[in-house]
């Protein structure tokens, strides 16, 4: 049943998609009048527009007034007038498919992309100046203006008999008159009736003519075009040759005779359009089948499949492809040939006079290789260096020649960080203290390596060396000789971890310390040792509340927190789906929705909490510096010794959340009493105390010999009384998750966020 419903929905979606696509695709049965202004190339009837695609039915010629350029014809809107034609599906021929199977690459047919995606910016040819030899005929609009003894401002269209009627003058036959002679011809005709006048004659809208595009055209058919149109103009209107049509032997036929044969390559390669002629009514543009083809690929400027005439040489073919690229290898060319339509053979030609004079035939594939990226005389220095680069190799070259001083090993990042710190200080920002740490990726002086290719068996050999003894010690024993092609890699201490004793560690000591600041820890130094070396604490120091944080611990805590929250989120969504499916009425559906929104809101607040990386130091209120643990320091460790607080905080389900003065004699119950006691919704069994040192004591840890309410507290401790969650089941789950997150290490500061 579900499967049937699924397929029904799928079919309906497909139907909607099909109907939507049908609105986007052109109607192949539409006539010229239905074409958009963009498809016509402008706003006039003389623009290039097929009368019917792909039929050859003749298109009627109309002499009706046409909108001026830029106007929108009736029934069209501005959007339609500026439409860009969608690209048509790419056509391919058998040879193109053959080359793709042979090389794995698709080479285009040269020049055919010129006719792809014709745009409305293609100007109509009736908006260009009329040439002097243009012959006036039926359908042309003549504009006559005269002043003096006669006042004329008149325009009319030449009728089918070639006559042009002028008021007060009569009919004037202008058929066959050239435009350059029209002014004098009309003045003579009017001069037979009037004297003493000035005259100006021009042409308005020009007549449309009908031509035919046949053969291997992309859109064969009859086309109504401007009388100024040429062979090339009409080709653009028809979309040009198809993938199987010739670009080089396009014929214009008139009265069954070839008027001209046009080679599009002359225009594309040489810019020569001299054989383009104007079309006349009834002309036929014939596009024959494509001629012999050769493919030219590889390192040429215009790799493509070219139609050839005769038997061009290799040099002529490369010139036709735009010449060699900058990276072409001018040594050898590969020629693949179909021999007598039976087998394929391959030949390799030299880039010399004899090779370039080799003639090409139909079906040849020419491949020009690119030069090898190999350097003949270079040594590469890369890695933790100032400027990774290639350097010229010479006989006797050694490591010291490549790395002459320490300056070569200072990376740009160091100066960028330093300059950025100075800029921040100038602009009044405080970033400097954070920039001291890791301001420089320190060099690994113990290990660097030479990578060398063995040309005999093409194996790679790694030759390690002690960088410090080469650069710092100037030890000739480690100043190894270099060979051409060697790659020398310098590492930092972060790239390859060095022994602990050689790691540089920045430790931050803050708070109530005699000399707070940023210090470099000695190899293997512990927290207790660095405090003994740096100095003592102030009288106000609260060692029990010391906060020791570590970056590696913070990352581990954050990873565990993210995993826990991800699991909680999955359970939330899974429970929401189950509740929605089990809901039997509107109230239960609404309740499930409210519960889901509440869960998501709490999850978002918990996501905002970040791990602190705090490690409890397991001290008591009487501990001294000698009681600090002997934990070996890591880079980025931070010890903050706060001032001794004088309060204990009470938060949660109490009547007065507040901080109360610490007294040594007070117990948990005393502070709760000062807070007004617990509310009726308080959950005493889930209560806990967050100690100032970061540890937690919960009510559930209380046994027979101890009572949670009777616990003595220390300054800075916080009593937390949660609210009962039994009334709302999912809040109980949330409280358990909160306890888990805190145990991971979110810190006491996150309590306010969780509230």
């Amino acid at each position: 049943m579900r499967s049937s419903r699924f397929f029904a929905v799928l079919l309906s979606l497909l139907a909607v998609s099909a109907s939507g696509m049908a609105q986007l695709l052109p109607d192949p049965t539409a006539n010229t009048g239905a074409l958009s202004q963009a498809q016509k190339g402008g706003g006039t009837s003389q623009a290039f527009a097929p009368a019917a695609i792909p039929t050859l039915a003749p298109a009627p010629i109309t002499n009706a007034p046409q909108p001026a350029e830029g106007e929108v014809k009736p029934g069209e809107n501005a959007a339609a007038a500026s439409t860009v034609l969608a690209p048509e599906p790419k056509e391919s021929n058998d040879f193109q498919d053959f080359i793709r199977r042979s090389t794995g690459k698709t080479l285009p047919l040269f020049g055919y992309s010129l006719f792809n995606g014709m745009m409305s910016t293609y100007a109509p040819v009736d908006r260009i100046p009329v040439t002097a030899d243009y012959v006036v005929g039926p359908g042309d609009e003549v504009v006559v203006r005269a002043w003096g003894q006669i006042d004329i401002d008149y325009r009319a269209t030449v009728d089918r008999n070639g006559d042009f009627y002028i008021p007060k003058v009569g009919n004037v036959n202008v058929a066959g008159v050239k435009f350059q002679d029209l002014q004098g011809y009309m003045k003579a005709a009017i001069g037979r009736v009037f004297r003493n006048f000035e005259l100006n004659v021009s042409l308005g809208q020009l007549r449309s003519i009908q031509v035919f595009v046949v053969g291997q055209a992309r859109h064969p058919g009859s086309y109504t075009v401007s009388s100024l149109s040429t062979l090339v103009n009409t080709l653009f209107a028809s979309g040009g040759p198809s993938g199987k049509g010739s670009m080089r032997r396009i014929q214009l036929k008139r009265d069954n005779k070839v008027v001209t044969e046009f080679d599009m390559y002359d225009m594309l390669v040489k810019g020569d359009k001299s054989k383009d002629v104007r079309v006349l009514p009834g002309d036929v543009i014939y596009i024959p089948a494509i001629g012999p083809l050769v493919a030219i690929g590889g390192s040429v400027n215009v790799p493509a499949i070219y139609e050839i005439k005769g038997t061009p040489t290799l040099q002529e073919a490369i010139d036709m492809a735009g010449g060699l690229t900058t990276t072409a290898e001018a040594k050898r060319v590969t020629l693949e040939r179909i021999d007598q339509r039976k087998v394929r053979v391959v030949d390799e030609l030299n880039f010399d006079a004899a090779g370039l004079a080799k003639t090409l035939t139909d079906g040849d594939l020419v491949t020009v290789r690119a030069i090898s990226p190999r350097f003949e005389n270079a040594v590469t220095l890369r890695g933790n260096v100032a400027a990774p680069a290639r350097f010229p190799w010479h006989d006797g070259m050694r490591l010291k020649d490549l790395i002459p001083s320490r300056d070569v090993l200072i990376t740009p990042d160091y100066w960028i960080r330093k300059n950025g710190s100075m800029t921040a200080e100038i602009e009044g920002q405080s970033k400097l203290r954070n920039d001291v740490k890791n301001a420089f990726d320190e060099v690994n002086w113990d290990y660097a390596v030479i990578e060398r290719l063995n040309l005999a068996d093409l194996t790679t050999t790694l030759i390690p060396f002690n960088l410090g003894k080469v650069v710092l010690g100037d030890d000739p024993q480690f100043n190894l000789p270099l060979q051409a092609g060697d790659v020398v890699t310098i590492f930092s201490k972060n790239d390859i971890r060095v022994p602990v004793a050689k790691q540089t560690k920045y430790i931050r000591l803050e708070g109530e310390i005699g000399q707070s600041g940023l210090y470099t820890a000695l190899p293997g130094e512990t927290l207790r040792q660095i405090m003994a070396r740096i100095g003592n604490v102030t009288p106000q120091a609260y060692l029990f509340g010391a906060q020791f944080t570590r970056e590696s611990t913070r990352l581990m805590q954050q990873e565990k927190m993210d995993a826990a929250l991800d699991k909680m989120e999955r359970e939330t969504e899974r429970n929401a789906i189950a509740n929605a499916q089990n809901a039997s009425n509107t109230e239960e559906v609404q309740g499930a929705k409210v519960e889901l929104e509440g869960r998501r809101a709490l999850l978002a607040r918990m996501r905002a909490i970040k791990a602190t990386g705090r490690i409890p130091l397991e001290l008591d209120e009487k501990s001294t510096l000698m009681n600090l643990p002997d934990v070996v320091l890591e880079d980025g460790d931070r010890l903050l010794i706060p001032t001794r607080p004088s309060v204990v905080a009470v938060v949660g389900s109490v009547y007065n959340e507040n901080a109360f003065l610490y007294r040594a004699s007070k117990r948990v119950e005393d502070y709760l009493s000062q807070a007004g006691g617990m509310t009726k919704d308080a959950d005493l069994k889930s209560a806990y105390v967050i100690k100032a040192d970061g540890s937690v004591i919960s009510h559930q840890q209380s046994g027979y010999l101890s009572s949670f309410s009777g616990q003595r507290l220390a300054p800075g401790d916080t009593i937390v009384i949660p609210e009962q969650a039994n009334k709302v089941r999912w809040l109980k789950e949330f409280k358990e998750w909160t306890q888990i997150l805190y145990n991971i290490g979110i810190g006491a500061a996150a309590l306010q966020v969780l509230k």
Side-chain angles (χ1 to χ4, degrees):
M1 185 64 179
R2 290 183 178 179
S3 177
S4 300
R5 291 179 61 190
F6 170 76
F7 282 109
V9 173
L10 179 60
L11 289 174
S12 66
L13 291 175
L14 289 175
V16 172
S17 300
S19 64
M21 289 300 294
Q23 297 177 19
L24 298 177
L25 295 176
D27 183 2
T29 64
N31 60 18
T32 307
L35 292 175
S36 70
Q37 185 176 2
Q39 290 169 302
K40 295 177 181 179
T44 67
S45 65
Q46 285 79 16
F48 306 130
I53 300 176
T55 63
L56 295 177
I61 301 178
T62 176
N63 292 327
Q66 300 296 322
E69 184 177 8
E71 283 188 60
V72 180
K73 294 179 63 176
E76 295 181 337
N77 54 30
S82 60
T83 303
V84 177
L85 297 184
E88 299 186 18
K90 292 183 178 180
E91 298 181 86
S92 62
N93 57 29
D94 292 341
F95 186 61
Q96 196 174 17
D97 297 334
F98 175 77
I99 296 299
R100 182 174 61 250
R101 291 192 298 268
S102 299
T103 64
K105 298 180 181 179
T106 300
L107 291 179
L109 294 169
F110 177 72
Y112 288 77
S113 61
L114 188 67
F115 301 98
N116 290 340
M118 294 301 300
M119 301 174 62
S120 62
T121 54
Y122 190 82
V125 294
D126 63 336
R127 297 302 178 187
I128 64 177
V130 180
T131 58
D133 61 346
Y134 179 79
V135 178
V136 181
D140 287 336
E141 183 184 47
V142 180
V143 180
V144 178
R145 294 183 177 89
W147 58 95
Q149 187 178 2
I150 183 174
D151 187 12
I152 300 176
D153 187 358
Y154 182 71
R155 65 173 60 205
T157 302
V158 180
D159 62 21
R160 293 186 177 182
N161 296 323
D163 291 337
F164 176 76
Y165 175 78
I166 303 176
K168 301 180 182 180
V169 175
N171 285 332
V172 179
N173 191 285
V174 295
V177 178
K178 292 183 178 181
F179 177 67
Q180 62 184 2
D181 302 327
L182 184 61
Q183 175 96 2
Y185 183 82
M186 294 294 291
K187 188 168 186 177
I190 299 174
R192 288 194 292 266
V193 182
F194 296 96
R195 298 288 187 272
N196 302 324
F197 65 90
E198 297 295 330
L199 181 70
N200 178 269
V201 181
S202 62
L203 293 179
Q205 294 284 350
L206 301 181
R207 67 184 181 272
S208 298
I209 62 175
Q210 187 180 44
V211 296
F212 300 90
V213 181
V214 298
Q216 300 299 323
R218 184 173 296 186
H219 298 298
S222 62
Y223 288 80
T224 301
V225 297
S226 166
S227 55
L228 290 176
S229 297
T230 65
L231 167 64
V232 173
N233 300 142
T234 311
L235 278 178
F236 277 101
S238 67
S242 69
K244 298 180 181 179
S246 173
M247 288 275 285
R248 309 202 64 178
R249 295 178 291 118
I250 302 172
Q251 297 177 353
L252 176 64
K253 294 186 175 183
R254 185 177 300 152
D255 298 330
N256 296 325
K257 296 180 181 179
V258 177
V259 177
T260 185
E261 183 173 279
F262 190 76
D263 187 344
M264 286 294 296
Y265 280 27
D266 288 342
M267 186 176 73
L268 295 174
V269 179
K270 306 174 185 177
D272 181 5
K273 193 170 170 282
S274 59
K275 292 187 178 181
D276 183 27
V277 298
R278 186 178 300 157
V279 294
L280 297 180
D283 280 358
V284 176
I285 297 175
Y286 172 67
I287 303 177
I290 197 168
L293 299 173
V294 296
I296 306 176
S299 294
V300 291
N301 286 311
V302 190
I305 294 175
Y306 293 85
E307 184 180 358
I308 60 174
K309 285 183 175 180
T311 54
T313 64
L314 176 60
Q315 180 66 68
E316 292 171 342
I318 292 176
D319 292 341
M320 188 166 51
L324 302 179
T325 65
T326 305
T327 58
E329 181 189 61
K331 291 184 178 180
R332 296 178 301 277
V333 176
T334 301
L335 173 63
E336 298 179 19
R337 173 166 290 176
I338 302 174
D339 186 16
Q340 298 180 357
R341 298 185 180 272
K342 294 179 181 179
V343 295
R344 298 183 67 192
V345 295
V346 62
D347 194 7
E348 193 170 67
L349 307 177
N350 293 325
F351 255 100
D352 54 17
L356 293 174
K358 179 77 173 182
T359 57
L360 302 182
T361 61
D362 186 21
D364 283 354
L365 168 60
V366 176
T367 304
V368 179
R369 299 193 188 102
I371 60 175
S372 171
R374 175 190 175 190
F375 285 88
E376 293 289 338
N377 66 332
V379 174
T380 302
L381 178 64
R382 66 179 185 178
N384 199 77
V385 295
R390 298 181 183 91
F391 298 89
W393 174 85
H394 56 82
D395 288 334
M397 187 176 187
R398 293 180 175 270
L399 285 171
K400 192 68 174 178
D401 300 321
L402 191 64
I403 315 171
S405 66
R406 301 172 181 83
D407 293 340
V408 177
L409 306 176
I410 302 178
T411 64
D413 288 343
Y414 173 78
W415 303 113
I416 292 174
R417 294 171 189 171
K418 287 300 180 186
N419 295 339
S421 300
M422 180 58 65
T423 302
E425 289 296 308
I426 293 173
E427 295 177 353
Q429 304 175 17
S430 180
K431 291 181 181 179
L432 182 57
R433 61 178 183 177
N434 294 327
D435 197 60
V436 174
K437 178 183 176 182
N438 294 330
F440 178 55
D441 292 333
E442 295 185 347
V443 177
N444 185 339
W445 293 106
D446 294 333
Y447 179 84
V449 68
I450 301 172
E451 182 181 345
R452 180 172 295 165
L453 177 66
N454 188 340
L455 296 178
D457 55 7
L458 300 182
T459 58
T460 300
T461 303
L462 297 181
I463 307 173
F465 62 92
N466 189 299
L467 181 63
K469 293 185 178 180
V470 174
V471 179
L472 304 179
D474 202 13
D475 190 338
Q477 179 181 351
F478 291 89
N479 190 18
L480 303 178
L482 296 174
Q483 296 181 7
D486 282 353
V487 178
V488 179
T489 304
I490 308 300
F491 298 93
S492 71
K493 292 182 179 179
N494 294 328
D495 295 327
I496 298 178
R497 186 177 292 274
V498 298
V500 173
K502 295 186 178 181
Q503 294 177 8
T504 301
K505 304 168 187 176
Y506 293 91
I507 311 300
R508 192 181 300 276
L509 304 177
E510 299 181 88
E512 298 299 322
I513 301 175
Q515 297 180 5
S516 298
L518 193 68
Y519 294 92
T520 302
L522 301 177
E525 194 169 27
T526 66
L527 180 61
R528 183 194 302 172
Q529 292 170 343
I530 196 172
M531 285 302 299
R533 176 167 64 90
I534 298 304
N536 211 333
V537 296
T538 67
Q540 293 78 27
Y542 187 45
L543 196 59
F544 176 67
Q547 300 176 20
F548 180 66
T549 57
R550 173 165 288 177
E551 179 63 15
S552 60
T553 302
R554 187 193 67 80
L555 294 175
M556 178 190 66
Q557 291 173 347
Q558 190 65 50
E559 183 179 357
K560 290 183 178 180
M561 286 174 61
D562 292 341
L565 288 172
D566 290 342
K567 183 177 180 182
M568 186 178 179
E569 187 172 21
R570 289 193 298 269
E571 291 183 2
T572 295
E573 300 299 329
R574 185 167 55 248
N575 292 338
I577 295 174
N579 293 340
Q581 291 177 343
N582 296 331
S584 58
N585 53 52
T586 305
E587 289 77 9
E588 291 183 357
V589 171
Q590 186 63 28
K593 181 179 179 181
V594 172
E595 177 181 335
L596 178 60
E597 291 175 353
R599 285 176 177 262
R600 287 175 174 171
L602 285 174
L603 273 170
R605 292 167 63 186
M606 295 170 75
R607 290 278 188 191
I609 302 169
K610 301 301 179 183
T612 62
R614 184 175 182 180
I615 301 175
L617 297 179
E618 301 179 357
L619 303 174
D620 56 37
E621 296 181 58
K622 299 180 181 180
S623 296
T624 65
L625 291 178
M626 296 303 299
N627 299 117
L628 288 173
D630 265 332
V631 54
V632 178
L633 295 171
E634 293 184 4
D635 184 41
D637 283 353
R638 175 177 179 265
L639 177 66
L640 172 63
I641 300 180
T643 304
R644 180 181 180 86
S646 58
V647 296
V648 171
V650 181
V651 298
S653 295
V654 294
Y655 286 101
N656 180 23
E657 290 184 295
N658 211 333
F660 302 96
L661 290 175
Y662 167 78
R663 294 286 185 269
S665 60
K666 287 184 181 180
R667 302 174 184 271
V668 170
E669 57 187 2
D670 298 320
Y671 291 106
L672 290 177
S673 178
Q674 284 186 280
M678 296 180 290
T679 66
K680 62 179 181 179
D681 296 327
D683 185 3
L684 180 60
K685 293 182 179 179
S686 299
Y688 56 95
V689 174
I690 302 175
K691 302 292 291 180
D693 67 345
S695 60
V696 176
I697 299 176
S698 67
H699 185 281
Q700 297 175 357
Q701 292 176 308
S702 302
Y704 293 106
L705 300 179
S706 63
S707 169
F708 179 78
S709 299
Q711 288 281 348
R712 292 186 181 275
L713 301 180
D717 288 353
T718 301
I719 303 172
V720 183
I721 306 297
E723 184 179 355
Q724 291 183 7
N726 297 331
K727 295 182 295 184
V728 183
R729 174 178 52 82
W730 64 270
L731 284 177
K732 183 178 180 181
E733 299 173 7
F734 168 74
K735 184 179 68 176
E736 295 171 354
W737 279 104
T738 303
Q739 185 64 33
I740 292 173
L741 291 180
Y742 187 85
N743 290 337
I744 290 174
I746 61 174
L751 283 176
Q752 295 301 320
V753 178
L754 293 178
K755 284 178 60 184

